[in-house]
């Protein structure tokens, strides 16, 4: 964020002080995380493992009420853990696009459900920036992320089709047949001819009948290990273990391939539908993680509290199931020695919520449960845990990975290198998240919600939502982590400073899209 | 040999009205759903991108419509002539109409039925046989069906060229 101010104000002074202090404090941590001492001058491999819709608020890694993630905690003992890490968006498209391009949704413009990155910026992504030195692999269960990968196709050496670790002939065939023009083929087939959500009518009767016949058959195929049915993306059923085994196998192949590799794996669980294995299905039934909060007027399908509680428990079970499978993967990677030369990054694209009448993600709400995501990075040979509490964004992954790989970052990155890996911990850094699904990406923002996280505070702005109770909400996340007391207007200085900052950022974002005659 | 094969197939003037019914039903369905989707595409796709999507859709439906016609012709070839070939226009129209109509119902009514696809298909074929049998005995019904099919042929003059251009577009877009 650029401000046109010539003199040093209070906020700038605080930023400067924090930066200097952070830099001084970090030097011992950085030397502890120095992978060069372990790997020499060889370029490191990087595995970016993304669990879809994993809210940091539901992980025992971040002090959740239940022990949902013992294996994440085990991993964290030898990793760098970020405690205030936020996604750029609150659903897959903007969240993933921010992560892979290092830019905010207002720049990359992948803001709609299954939307696309601004065509002029398609080459500005992490795969392209890593260059041919790296062997670059991409996989996503989630079609919204897969379509972004397809936009980056020319820079991805191996794009693994989304149904690869499941038995689905149709999707494998489609990827193979239309590999060179997958983006249009995707919208034609997955959006029109044979939509993967079963509630939308298919324009192709043959494909639609086939899909629904398969769905009916799958309903009758009960699996005794899964009381709610196999985990599914909606278009294909799968097992988490098979998918993570796929990641493991690909990593082994890449590891022996001669070139350093970058592997992006985007796994659907714990995204809904929450379908844990039977060993996890009896856990957390008393729903202590559920906190009753007032209903929000911008939530359209408001669920009753009992229903939300039930889903809250189911989600926690599914998270624990994912953690268990992650533990198995970790054991295997450690045993094979891959992690001696590989950074393993574990994160999510956005969170999940069960509060204020909402279940899931993607509404205009930008509360912590939806945008606060986990981030752990283990450097090759890292033996000790490091923790960072200042605000970071998932935009930071792209510049950080490029720094680790010794690659030149593309111009216009809005993310910063993460503290602990060459970046500086900045206590007053503004970090934004936004939801603008109802806005055209070709026009200025007129209907969107934007959250600004800065220090301990969060300001949420509902733009173009007259039905909302208030246009702004301000929360003190340190003293009110559940975001129940709106301090907007009550903390005068903070209100004015953050509101000015947010509105200035919005104005800058809109500038290129405002026509001169408007 | 070739003539023997041709002799087991219906004449071209019998095939065209059947294909007209198949194409009209399948393309209408696709166009109706596309019209419902286009406003949301306009939101975040450029005009050439939307044309590319429609090219895929037209090409796919064109291939599918030929596939359904192909299945009918294959049945004609395999069964004794009195079952389908002898009055292909009328029987083919009824079969195409009921099978495609059944597909509409099957995809639309999924959540209200648990009938397996096989049961739907057998039901459709029985209904087609019944309608063919009835219309062969009710002169005005047979005439009406054939005349409607005849009038649908005009749509082929639009649908086939558009589909061929679409097919070509899809091929060009996917050339390595």
């Amino acid at each position: 964020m650029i401000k046109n101010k010539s003199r040093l104000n209070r906020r700038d002074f605080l930023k400067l002080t924090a930066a200097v202090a952070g830099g001084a404090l970090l030097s011992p941590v950085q030397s502890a995380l120095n992978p060069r001492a372990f790997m020499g001058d060889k370029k490191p491999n990087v595995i970016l493992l993304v669990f879809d819709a994993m809210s940091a608020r539901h992980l025992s890694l971040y002090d959740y009420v239940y022990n949902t993630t013992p294996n994440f905690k085990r991993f964290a003992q030898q990793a760098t853990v970020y405690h205030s890490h936020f996604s750029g968006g609150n659903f897959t498209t903007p969240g993933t696009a921010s992560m892979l391009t290092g830019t905010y949704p207002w720049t990359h413009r992948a803001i709609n459900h299954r939307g696309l990155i601004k065509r002029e910026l398609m080459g500005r992504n992490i795969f392209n920036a890593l260059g041919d030195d790296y062997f670059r692999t991409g996989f996503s269960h989630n079609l919204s992320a897969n379509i972004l990968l397809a936009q980056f196709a020319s820079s991805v050496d191996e794009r693994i089709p989304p149904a690869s670790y499941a038995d689905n002939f149709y999707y494998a065939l489609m990827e193979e047949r239309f590999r060179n023009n997958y983006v249009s083929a995707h919208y034609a087939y997955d959006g029109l001819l044979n939509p993967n959500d079963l509630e939308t009518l298919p324009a192709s009767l043959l494909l639609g009948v086939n899909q629904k016949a398969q769905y009916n058959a799958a309903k009758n195929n009960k699996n005794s290990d899964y009381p709610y049915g196999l985990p599914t993306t909606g278009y294909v059923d799968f097992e988490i273990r098979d998918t993570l085994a796929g990641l493991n196998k690909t990593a082994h192949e890449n590891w022996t391939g001669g070139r350093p590799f970058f592997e992006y794996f985007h796994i659907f669980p714990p995204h809904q539908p929450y379908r844990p294995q039977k060993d996890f299905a009896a856990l957390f039934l008393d729903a202590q993680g559920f906190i009753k909060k007032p209903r929000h007027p911008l939530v359209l399908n408001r669920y009753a509290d009992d229903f939300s509680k039930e889903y809250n428990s189911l989600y926690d079970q599914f998270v624990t199931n994912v953690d268990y499978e992650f533990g198995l993967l970790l054991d295997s990677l450690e045993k094979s020695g891959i992690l001696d030369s590989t950074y393993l990054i574990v994160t999510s694209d956005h969170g999940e919520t069960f509060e204020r009448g909402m279940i899931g993600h993607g509404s205009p709400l930008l509360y912590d449960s939806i945008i606060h995501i986990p981030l752990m990075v283990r450097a090759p040979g890292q033996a000790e845990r490091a923790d960072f509490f200042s605000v970071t964004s998932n935009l930071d992954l792209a510049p950080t990975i490029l720094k680790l790989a010794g690659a030149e970052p593309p111009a216009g990155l809005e993310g910063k290198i993460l503290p602990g890996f060459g970046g500086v911990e900045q206590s007053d850094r503004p970090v934004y998240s936004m939801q603008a699904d109802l806005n055209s990406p070709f026009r200025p923002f007129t209907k969107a919600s934007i959250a600004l996280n800065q220090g301990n505070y969060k300001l949420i702005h509902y733009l173009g939502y007259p039905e909302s109770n208030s246009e702004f909400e301000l929360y003190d996340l340190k003293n009110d982590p559940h975001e129940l007391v709106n301090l907007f207007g009550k903390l005068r200085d903070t209100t004015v400073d953050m509101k000015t900052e947010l509105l200035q950022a919005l104005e800058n974002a809109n500038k290129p899209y405002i026509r001169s005659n408007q | 040999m070739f003539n023997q094969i041709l002799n087991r197939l219906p004449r071209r003037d019998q095939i065209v009205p059947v294909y007209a019914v198949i194409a009209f039903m399948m393309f209408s369905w696709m166009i109706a759903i596309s019209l419902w989707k286009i406003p949301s595409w306009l939101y975040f796709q450029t005009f050439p991108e939307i044309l590319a999507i429609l090219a895929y859709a037209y090409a796919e439906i064109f291939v599918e419509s030929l596939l359904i016609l192909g299945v009918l012709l294959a049945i004609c070839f395999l069964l004794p002539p009195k079952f389908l070939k002898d009055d292909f226009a009328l029987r083919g129209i009824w079969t195409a109409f009921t099978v495609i109509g059944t597909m509409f119902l099957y995809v639309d009514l999924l959540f209200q039925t648990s009938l397996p696809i096989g049961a739907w298909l057998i039901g459709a074929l029985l209904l087609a046989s019944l309608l063919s049998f009835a219309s062969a005995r009710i002169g005005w019904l047979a005439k009406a069906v054939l005349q409607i099919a005849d009038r649908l042929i005009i749509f082929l003059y639009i649908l086939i060229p558009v589909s061929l251009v679409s097919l070509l577009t899809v091929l060009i877009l996917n050339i390595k």
Side-chain angles (χ1 to χ4, degrees), chain A residues 483-498:
Chain A
E483 298 161 292
L484 292 165
V485 183
N486 182 4
L487 298 171
F488 187 78
K490 291 170 189 157
L491 293 177
R492 202 174 146 62
D493 284 355
T494 311
T495 297
V496 171
D497 284 355
M498 290 184 78

Side-chain angles (χ1 to χ4, degrees), chain A residues 127-385:
Chain A
F127 296 93
N128 195 26
L130 280 169
D132 292 336
D133 286 353
Y134 271 78
F135 186 79
R136 299 147 297 180
T137 308
F139 165 81
S140 173
H141 267 147
N142 191 323
L143 294 179
S144 298
N146 189 50
I147 197 71
L148 301 177
L149 273 180
Q151 279 196 288
F152 306 152
S154 61
S155 317
V156 183
D157 297 299
E158 185 188 22
R159 193 159 58 80
I160 302 172
S164 294
Y165 307 113
D167 184 19
N168 189 303
F169 174 72
Y170 168 73
Y171 277 90
L173 183 73
M174 215 191 103
E175 279 270 349
E176 194 51 48
R177 206 194 298 162
F178 302 122
R179 206 156 184 79
N180 292 334
N181 187 242
Y182 182 75
V183 174
S184 298
H186 161 80
Y187 286 107
Y189 280 88
D190 302 331
L192 174 67
L193 293 163
N194 189 27
N196 51 56
D197 63 301
L198 288 160
E199 286 158 22
T200 309
L201 287 174
S204 157
L205 290 167
L206 288 186
L207 294 175
V209 165
N210 171 54
Q211 188 193 35
K212 293 190 176 184
Q214 280 188 11
Y215 173 79
N216 276 348
K219 267 199 310 190
N220 299 325
N221 283 340
K222 298 286 179 206
N223 186 322
S224 58
D225 277 346
Y226 292 89
Y228 306 102
L230 275 171
T232 184
T233 58
Y235 64 91
V236 64
D237 295 350
F238 62 92
E239 293 202 60
I240 304 170
R241 191 167 302 175
D242 292 343
T243 313
L244 292 180
L247 179 154
N248 200 1
K249 183 169 173 277
T250 307
H252 272 86
E253 286 167 2
N254 291 342
W255 193 42
T256 50
R259 267 199 283 173
F261 67 85
F262 171 66
E263 191 172 318
Y264 161 67
F265 255 67
H266 191 132
I267 317 286
F268 205 63
H271 192 290
Q272 59 187 338
Y274 318 120
R275 293 182 173 180
Q277 273 179 292
K278 68 176 178 192
D279 295 345
F280 305 92
L283 301 172
F284 321 132
L285 294 176
D286 51 352
Q288 284 179 37
F290 177 78
I291 293 160
K292 193 173 166 61
K293 295 183 183 178
R295 300 290 167 115
H296 199 284
L298 293 183
V299 177
L300 296 177
N301 300 316
R302 284 178 228 171
Y303 293 97
D305 284 349
D306 283 347
F307 203 65
S308 300
K309 263 187 186 176
E310 194 183 315
Y311 271 75
N312 193 111
S313 293
L314 213 50
Y315 179 71
D316 290 345
Q317 292 163 9
F318 206 26
V319 166
T320 310
N321 194 163
V322 169
D323 173 82
Y324 176 77
E325 297 296 339
F326 171 74
L328 297 180
L329 170 74
L330 187 60
D331 291 342
S332 175
L333 289 173
E334 278 174 341
K335 204 172 158 189
S336 65
I338 290 179
L339 293 183
D340 293 343
S341 55
T342 305
Y343 282 90
L344 176 56
I345 303 171
V346 180
T347 188
S348 184
D349 54 347
H350 57 81
E352 194 81 330
T353 196
F354 304 90
E355 60 182 50
R356 302 169 209 259
M358 164 95 190
I359 291 179
H361 53 269
S363 74
L365 304 195
L366 291 168
Y367 295 109
D368 245 34
S369 49
I370 316 180
I371 57 170
H372 185 186
I373 53 174
L375 176 63
M376 294 180 286
V377 184
R378 184 200 266 189
Q382 184 171 347
E384 287 177 17
R385 174 172 174 153

Side-chain angles (χ1 to χ4, degrees), chain A residues 112 114 119 178 180-181 184-185 187-189 191-192 202-206 209 212-213 216 438-442, chain B residues 29 33-34 37 41 43-45 49 52-53 56-57 60-61 64 100 103-104 106-107 110 117 173-174 176:
Chain A
N112 308 103
R114 214 162 283 178
R119 314 314 180 260
F178 302 122
N180 292 334
N181 187 242
S184 298
Y187 286 107
Y189 280 88
L192 174 67
S204 157
L205 290 167
L206 288 186
V209 165
K212 293 190 176 184
N216 276 348
L438 298 175
N439 213 99
S440 167
F442 307 125
Chain B
W29 175 262
I33 295 183
S34 302
K37 287 272 181 183
W41 290 337
Y43 224 51
F44 65 94
Q45 305 254 22
E49 286 168 349
I53 296 170
Y56 276 95
E60 172 71 29
I61 300 302
E64 286 183 9
I100 297 170
M103 288 185 192
F104 288 150
Y106 187 75
V107 296
L110 171 75
I117 180 75
L173 287 173
N174 285 281
K176 290 197 176 185

